[in-house]
Amino acid sequence: MPKFDEKGLIPAIIQDANTGEVLMLGYMSQESLERTKSTGQAWFWSRSRQELWHKGATSGN
């Protein structure tokens, strides 16, 4: 089980599966980690907006 910090977050590095290139660093809460596991899509916690966000939902990436 990951060790969450005092704000309830863990850093998450997103990499290209083929090249290993680091694409982004985001933060996950327990809820976003569980959503990621259950859906197979990346979910994060936005520290600036204080809400969950689904990677690619608005950017298409």
Side-chain angles (χ1 to χ4, degrees), residues 2-58:
K3 184 174 179 178
F4 292 87
D5 69 10
E6 66 281 349
K7 295 178 183 175
L9 302 173
I10 55 170
I13 302 293
I14 307 306
Q15 293 179 276
D16 183 292
N18 296 316
T19 68
E21 177 187 6
V22 173
L23 303 174
M24 68 169 278
L25 163 67
Y27 289 87
M28 290 186 167
S29 62
Q30 181 70 44
E31 183 179 0
S32 63
L33 179 59
E34 293 302 320
R35 281 195 191 193
T36 297
K37 288 179 182 180
S38 68
T39 66
Q41 298 179 357
W43 285 83
F44 299 94
W45 178 256
S46 171
R47 296 180 300 160
S48 60
R49 296 187 314 267
Q50 296 292 297
E51 65 183 13
L52 288 174
W53 63 278
H54 179 232
K55 178 65 178 148
T58 56

